[in-house]
Amino acid sequence: MFDSRHVKTFHEVVRSGSYSGAARALGYTQPAITQQMKALERAVGSPLFIRVGRGMRLTEAGETLARHADTILTSISTAQQQMSAITRLRSGRVRVCAFPSANATLIPEAMARLAAAHPGLRVELLEGEPPDSLGRVVRGECDITLAFTYPGLREETPAELVEIPLLEDQLTVLLPTGHPLARRRAVKLAELSEERWIAGCLRCRANFLHECAEQGFAPDIAFTTDDNLVVQSMVAAGLGVAMMPGLVLSFLCHQKVTGRALDPASRRHVSAYVLREHLEIPATARVLEELKTVAGNRVGC
């Protein structure tokens, strides 16, 4: 491996034609130049210069290195500039994976703030539901993932990941407009034990079944779909009722659907997950800061 400082000194010796000339140009002593060239020759495994009278000429190895020295130094300089841009947030890329309702709410606002402050950063958006989305971080397919968990379910997070809590997302019961319970401010889950239900994704459905069991009944699930717009449309059509997170209702609200809080309140935890070492990457850390700010501003989710 070549020391880049030695290559720079070698390049100056070749340009100036002597050790003394290189010393003057670089501000070194001549013995320092000599020591650097000896170290470089040891790394190369061959002499680089041959004394000819008062001057010197390059050996075959020296001529080869001389042809590449300028390219090497230019590449190093370019790399340093690009690394500096990344660490100073003038450029860089962060891959974020999130579940659909987070991609439709938290992500756009956070990315708008990021684009205003650091327009050189690029964020790639992916979509995935937990627990699969957590595995994508571990496998290196993304840098940050947003996922949700339910307090009543036993769920294991990969040991490699660090959790950054973002918000508590309140669950809501969706009723068709005109439903008798729609006049109430809050609804007990047990009061809907005789209703037909429309269930969502696997994790949400597991929590829903758990909460119903806690209330002493098994729900009649007539339909299942991961599409939140379809859920609302089915409720509006009178095909059943549903349980839906507040994040979804903040961007989807069918005019023939009424949302009511649960009594007692039920929530899911929304967090960001990253590999511990990624916390030290400036661009990743900045995206996390924006996500925390945006999540903290969402009152009533």
Side-chain angles (χ1 to χ4, degrees), residues 163-216:
E163 178 182 1
I164 297 96
L166 295 178
L167 59 82
E168 300 289 300
D169 191 13
Q170 184 167 308
L171 300 180
T172 302
V173 171
L174 296 188
L175 306 169
T177 300
H179 191 285
L181 294 179
R183 295 191 294 269
R184 304 254 295 274
R185 294 185 62 182
V187 177
K188 294 184 182 297
L189 191 58
E191 294 176 306
L192 299 166
S193 60
E194 300 302 318
E195 298 282 349
R196 300 177 75 193
W197 287 85
I198 301 154
C201 71
L202 288 174
R203 182 169 284 200
C204 295
R205 186 155 64 247
N207 175 71
F208 170 61
L209 291 172
H210 169 78
E211 294 204 19
C212 290
E214 290 282 298
Q215 296 298 315

Side-chain angles (χ1 to χ4, degrees), residues 212-226:
C212 290
E214 290 282 298
Q215 296 298 315
F217 73 96
D220 175 14
I221 298 178
F223 302 97
T224 60
T225 174
D226 292 346

